[in-house]
């Protein structure tokens, strides 16, 4: 969270106000009793308030208050409802902690929680109590808590400087910004010292003398001043909020921004804290930036993590953090970024090595970033923060032996070994020639050796190589031979030139080498990322997406990876994993997974929630809902804190979310298409039912009603005609109904042909009988090749199919023309061709005529039809394993429908006699 | 002259009404039952000359009605069935039904079937040896067959098949009945014997299955010789 720009009513300011309003209506409100030091009476004040509120009828519960044996406190506490503490066993000790879950279940309106900065016992859900409080607030419960100023992250340094005691329990400033109300409990130093003397102030025993030194009047006065200023600053901020809300437009200065540049130097954290104070005071947003150069890629993870620690600190202090990348010129990159972001002030650090010899030597070639910035950033206001070298070193010593040399030494010895080998080789190579070649040429051979070592082993190699080369050259090839003494003036110059050129070329070679290594690493990363993106883009199923994700993450992070998604009961299940999909997760891991899924934030190892789980879980969510969580179990635990890891996981989360979302959308589109199709089908069916069922009924009702009403008065021939047409139309209606039934059964796959061997002629006989008068206006020519075996079909269903084909032919062929039906055997099938001399079907429509409710484009006055007939033919024929196609009729006129149907495999001859 | 009495067992009132009219016009006296049990009861009490039975009754299964009636009576039973109920039809025939009519049916067709069924009646009457169906003449005694004025030389089995169809002319003769009567109970399922024999008979009689004059195929169920 950045410090809001308090100078101008920006759109964000309205947004902030709206957000604050929304936040105050939904999550709980936080009130903090702030004190300058222990003993000012925060807990007492808090409990008094609790009692007042409880008396006024509010549902108040004490989640955790330490009385430290004080009677007044205990007396205040007694009438209030308290939640029993949870007991956690940690290394044999029984520790009491606030029971967060019990509180959430109890869900009072107001919870009293003491000591905001408290560190929870290992094994709790959150490492810090303020994280517990945030969860309580999120649950809609108001919280009242207490805090001393030395626990505020940005004041931590200042207080430590005043008191000489550094506390490690800190609360990020961003969390304080959540507070709706901060009440300062002020007590003049004299009174506090008096209270201390009266034994009214609880002091932890282990603090001992250090804390006693704390309570001097001068120190207490200084702390009180800081506390007052902090509280006043907040009042200012609140007033500004109000001003913003009223959009009180006076003159608004242009926005300032503060940029803090950090690197791996130990001063980084101090820089961040200084930046926070400056930004706070100036009330401007601040950004903390670090630049990654090839040099960083080659650095030890330990060293790199210093930068990351600083960036994390900045985040907790409410800064925006940015990591830039530059090939070599970090300063230029910083300036570019600063100008782009409207930065007016720069905060930079100065290396403690700056004055050392090595730095100067290297500085000949490469100027430190801070120097460049000071030279070039003339349009910025620059603050340089210098580290207290002694303090830094002391802290480093206190932490025990630095791990750095341990990892560095083998590299050093390797460089030494390679340097000596290279120099030895150069010497052996040069030896045979020294008699003929001038001494200067031999120096070149050594230079080559140095270059090689420098390229392989970097700067240490270059330096060692030049020293060894110098010595060997001096020993063997300058007079007096086999002595380190130098006689001739020109040899001295030669040697000097040799040393300088070998250092310069060696440095250049080592930098080249570093760049090559970085480029390779970058390329490899880009390639895997590209491959992942490609895989995930081509994955059409969510399962494939998740698989690509686990494989990618496992490979890049060298970790075991799992993906869990909720099943129908909402239980998280392992659905993808690398190397195994069935990891044994213990309850802590499962808790972290559940947390990550439900709260949509990272949990478990290396995070702020359930950090003692062995897996880290990150949420997987699309724009509107979470759909699972990804668990990572690092082979190398230090990677968990690497910001590179965080970035990668975020990238994967995003990619997976996009891919899953995309698949879901395409599924939805497909579904929508299916719905549209079925809508179309429904409309066609409705049309068929309304039109094609009613049309025959018009005739039936009309004819029968005239017969019923005036049959007696009608002449005999009219009566017969009416009855006949009613009869014919009723039969047509019957066939339509039959088609509808068949269509339904085909649609449900409920049609099971009841196959039997039957002669085609017999089927045709039935069909003609069924069709009745439909065929009377056309001549039906049947040509069945002799020896056509019986068909292996359901006679009823194929009869229906043939009836439809013939009825269709009769419908389109002009009256009086003939319809031909020819059949012959083709392989294991019978081919039946039904041809008519109607208008024919154009090529484009030939496949479509078998679609349900499709009717070939027709002019006016075309015969009525449902568009079901041929579709049902296709369905019936295909249910028999046959085929049906439409083609041009014989000689190109009319239409031929070709049916291919299986014949009975063997026709066992009956014993005739 | 008393008219033949037909018992209609059918739950659909409009169909009962239509049948009453149509059969009444065709010279039958009609009895109605709208439930299966009622039908069985009426069949026992009133002893109709034939029964028209709808297979889809609300109270009991049509086949149970047939079986029940068959326990004491050989009255001809005609089944009214829907098109796709081949298995149903065969089951009904096996249960003892004599013939079936597929709904919807033409009145003429129903009356013809009914008459054919009623003709079965005379028990103990001496069978006529000379039968004539249009241009088809069959002499059961001399086993002589003539179609369109030409003699048709049938084998023994073929003649037996044709004779059985002729004795039940106009009525359906099921596959099973034909096979067990002509080839014996061992061949009750060998429908291909029948198919081949019918094919030969048609060939010899000059009948075309695609446009039959004498023998009608009832696919999956049996055959029928066109009556009169």
């Amino acid at each position: 969270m950045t410090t809001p720009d308090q100078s101008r009513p920006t759109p964000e300011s309205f947004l902030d106000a709206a957000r604050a309003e929304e936040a105050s209506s939904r999550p709980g409100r936080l009130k903090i009793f702030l004190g300058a030091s222990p003993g000012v009476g925060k807990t007492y004040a808090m409990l008094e308030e609790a009692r007042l509120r409880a008396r006024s009828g509010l549902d108040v519960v004490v989640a955790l208050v330490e009385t430290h044996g004080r009677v007044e406190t205990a007396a205040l506490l007694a009438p209030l409802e308290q939640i029993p503490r949870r007991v956690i066993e940690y290394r044999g000790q029984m520790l009491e902690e606030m029971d967060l879950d019990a509180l959430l279940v109890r869900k009072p309106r107001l919870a009293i929680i003491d000591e905001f900065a408290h560190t929870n016992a290992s094994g709790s859900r959150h490492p810090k109590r303020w994280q517990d409080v945030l969860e309580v607030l999120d649950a809609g419960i108001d919280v009242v808590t207490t805090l001393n100023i030395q626990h505020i992250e940005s004041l931590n340094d200042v207080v430590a400087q005043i008191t000489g005691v550094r506390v490690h329990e800190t609360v990020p400033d961003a969390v304080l910004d959540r507070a709706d109300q901060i009440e300062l409990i002020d007590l003049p130093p004299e009174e506090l010292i008096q209270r201390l003397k009266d034994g009214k102030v609880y002091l932890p025993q282990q603090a001992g003398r250090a804390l006693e030194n704390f309570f001097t009047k001068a120190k207490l006065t200084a702390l009180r001043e800081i506390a007052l200023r902090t509280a006043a600053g907040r009042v200012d901020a609140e007033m500004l909020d109000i001003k913003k809300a009223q959009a009180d437009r006076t003159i608004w200065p242009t926005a300032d921004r503060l940029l803090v540049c950090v690197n791996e130097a130990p001063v980084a954290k101090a820089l961040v804290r200084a930046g926070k104070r400056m930004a706070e005071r100036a009330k401007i947003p601040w950004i903390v930036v670090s630049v990654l150069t090839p040099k960083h890629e080659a650095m030890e993870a330990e060293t790199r993590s210093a930068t990351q620690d600083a960036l994390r600190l900045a985040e907790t202090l409410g800064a925006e953090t940015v990591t830039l990348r530059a090939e070599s010129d970090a300063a230029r990159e910083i300036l570019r970024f600063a100008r782009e972001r409207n930065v007016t002030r720069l905060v930079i650090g100065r290396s403690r090595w700056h004055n050392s010899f090595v730095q100067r030597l290297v500085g000949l070639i490469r100027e430190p970033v801070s120097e460049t910035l000071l030279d070039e950033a003339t349009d910025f206001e620059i603050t340089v923060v210098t580290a207290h070298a002694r303090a830094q070193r002391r802290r480093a010593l206190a932490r025990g032996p630095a791990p750095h040399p341990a990892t560095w030494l083998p590299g050093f010895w390797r460089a030494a070994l390679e340097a000596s080998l290279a120099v030895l080789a150069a010497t052996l190579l040069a030896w045979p020639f020294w008699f003929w070649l001038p001494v200067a040429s031999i120096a070149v051979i050594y230079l080559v050796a140095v270059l090689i070592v420098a390229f392989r082993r970097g700067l240490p190699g270059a330096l060692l190589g030049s020293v060894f080369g110098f010595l060997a050259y001096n020993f063997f090839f300058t007079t007096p031979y086999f002595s380190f003494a130098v006689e001739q003036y020109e040899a001295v110059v030669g040697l000097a030139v040799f040393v300088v050129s070998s250092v310069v070329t060696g440095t250049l070679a080592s930098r080249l080498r570093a760049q090559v290594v970085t480029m390779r690493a970058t390329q490899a990363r880009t390639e895997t990322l590209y491959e992942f993106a490609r895989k995930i883009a081509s994955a059409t199923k969510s399962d494939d997406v998740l698989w690509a994700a686990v494989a990618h993450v496992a490979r890049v992070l060298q970790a075991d990876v799992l993906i869990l998604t909720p099943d129908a009961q909402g239980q998280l299940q392992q659905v993808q994993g690398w190397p195994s999909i069935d990891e044994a997760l213990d309850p802590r891991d499962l808790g972290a997974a559940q947390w990550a899924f439900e709260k949509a934030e990272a949990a478990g190892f290396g995070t702020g929630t359930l950090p003692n789980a062995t897996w880290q879980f990150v949420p997987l969510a699309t724009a509107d809902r979470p759909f699972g969580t990804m668990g990572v179990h690092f082979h190398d635990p230090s990677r968990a804190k690497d910001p590179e890891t965080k970035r990668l996981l975020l990238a994967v989360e995003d990619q997976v979310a996009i891919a899953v979302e995309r698949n879901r959308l395409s599924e939805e589109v497909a579904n929508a298409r299916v719905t549209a199709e079925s809508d179309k089908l429904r409309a066609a069916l409705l049309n068929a039912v309304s039109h094609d069922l009613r049309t025959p009924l018009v005739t039936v009702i009309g004819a029968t009603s005239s017969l019923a009403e005036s049959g007696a008065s009608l002449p005999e021939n009219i009566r017969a005609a009416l009855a006949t047409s009613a009869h014919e139309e009723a039969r047509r209606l019957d066939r339509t109904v039959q088609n509808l039934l068949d269509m339904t059964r085909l649609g449900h796959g409920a049609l099971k042909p009841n196959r039997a061997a039957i002669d085609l002629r017999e089927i045709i006989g039935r069909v003609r009988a069924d069709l009745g008068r439909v065929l009377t206006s056309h001549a039906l020519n049947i040509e069945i090749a002799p020896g056509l075996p019986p068909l292996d079909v359901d006679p009823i269903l194929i009869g229906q199919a043939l009836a439809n084909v013939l009825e269709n032919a009769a419908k389109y062929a002009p009256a009086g023309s003939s319809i031909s039906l020819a059949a012959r055997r083709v392989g294991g099938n019978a081919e039946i061709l039904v041809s008519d001399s109607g208008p024919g079907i154009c090529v484009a429509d030939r496949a479509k005529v078998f679609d349900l409710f499709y009717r070939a484009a027709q002019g006016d006055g075309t015969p009525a039809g449902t568009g079901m007939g041929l579709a049902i033919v296709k369905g019936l024929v295909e249910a028999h394993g046959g085929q049906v196609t439409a083609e041009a009729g014989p000689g190109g006129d009319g239409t031929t429908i070709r049916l291919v149907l299986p014949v009975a495999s063997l026709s066992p001859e009956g014993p005739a006699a | 002259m008393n008219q033949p009495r037909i018992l209609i067992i059918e739950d659909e009132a409009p169909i009962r009404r239509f049948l009453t009219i149509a059969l009444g016009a065709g010279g039958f006296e009609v009895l109605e039952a709208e439930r299966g049990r009622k039908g069985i009861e009426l069949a026992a009490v009133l002893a109709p000359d034939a029964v028209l039975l709808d297979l889809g009754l609300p109270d009991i299964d049509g086949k149970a009605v047939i079986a029940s009636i068959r326990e004491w009576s050989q009255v001809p039973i005609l089944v009214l069935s829907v098109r796709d109920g081949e298995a149903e039809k065969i089951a009904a025939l096996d249960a003892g039904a004599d013939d079936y009519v597929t709904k919807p049916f033409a009145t003429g067709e129903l009356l013809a079937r009914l008459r054919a069924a009623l003709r079965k009646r005379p028990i103990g009457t001496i069978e006529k040896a000379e039968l004539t169906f249009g241009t088809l003449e069959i002499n059961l005694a001399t086993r002589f067959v003539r179609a369109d004025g030409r003699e048709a030389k049938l084998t023994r089995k073929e003649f037996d098949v044709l004779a059985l169809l002729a004795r039940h002319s106009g009525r359906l003769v099921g596959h099973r009945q034909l096979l067990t009567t002509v080839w014996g109970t061992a061949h009750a399922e060998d429908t291909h014997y029948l198919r081949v024999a019918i094919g030969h008979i048609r060939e010899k009689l000059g009948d075309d299955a695609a446009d039959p004059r004498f023998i009608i195929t009832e696919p999956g169920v049996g055959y029928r010789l066109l009556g009169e």
Side-chain angles (χ1 to χ4, degrees), chain B:
Chain B
M1 181 63 205
N2 57 341
Q3 296 173 319
R5 296 195 302 169
I6 312 293
L7 172 62
I8 302 169
I9 311 177
E10 160 69 74
D11 59 316
E12 294 287 346
I15 297 180
R16 275 206 315 278
R17 196 162 57 237
F18 150 68
L19 284 174
T20 309
I21 297 166
L23 294 182
F28 296 97
E29 187 186 336
V30 177
L31 310 167
E32 291 178 47
E34 58 180 294
R35 291 288 183 269
R37 287 185 223 287
K38 175 82 175 167
I40 295 167
E41 195 187 306
L42 288 184
V45 175
L46 302 175
D49 296 298
V51 176
L52 263 182
L53 172 67
D54 178 25
L55 282 182
L57 291 170
D59 59 342
I60 47 172
D61 183 45
K63 291 191 290 295
V65 177
I66 300 170
S68 180
I69 292 174
R70 277 286 170 267
E71 279 173 21
W72 77 85
S73 167
Q74 288 302 314
V75 61
I77 301 175
L78 257 78
V79 167
L80 303 177
S81 133
V82 291
R83 188 205 68 163
D84 298 306
E86 259 61 49
E88 189 87 310
K89 283 171 197 164
I90 293 167
L93 292 178
D94 286 349
D98 292 86
D99 206 340
Y100 69 83
V101 186
T102 304
K103 286 198 239 177
F105 45 81
T107 317
E109 188 186 357
L110 174 69
L111 291 178
R113 295 280 159 79
L114 209 50
R115 285 195 192 105
L118 286 168
R119 237 194 356 260
K120 187 183 165 191
R121 280 317 294 279
I123 299 165
T125 46
I126 297 159
E127 205 173 52
K128 230 169 49 174
E130 292 261 357
L131 301 172
T132 309
F133 308 97
T135 56
L136 176 65
E137 298 159 50
I138 304 167
N139 190 318
L140 296 175
T142 60
R143 304 176 75 84
F144 178 81
V145 179
R146 181 161 39 197
D148 301 326
R150 282 185 296 124
E151 185 190 347
K153 290 195 182 301
L154 300 184
T155 65
R156 234 183 60 219
K157 296 283 184 202
E158 287 163 11
F159 183 82
D160 289 348
V161 170
L162 185 60
L164 189 57
L165 289 176
R167 282 193 193 101
H168 298 86
S169 70
R171 301 206 297 272
L172 172 74
V173 184
H175 288 149
R176 183 184 292 272
Q177 193 188 349
L178 279 163
L179 285 163
T180 51
T181 311
V182 177
W183 281 275
T185 45
H187 297 286
E189 303 297 328
D190 295 335
T191 47
H192 57 273
Y193 287 9
L194 198 53
R195 190 171 52 72
V196 171
I198 294 280
H200 287 159
I201 296 168
R202 277 184 171 141
E203 209 173 300
K204 288 172 185 174
L205 298 184
D207 194 15
D208 180 6
D211 192 10
R213 289 183 296 149
F214 305 128
I215 301 173
I216 304 283
T217 306
E218 298 288 355
V221 184
Y223 298 91
R224 185 195 302 277
L225 193 69
L226 280 174
E228 252 78 331

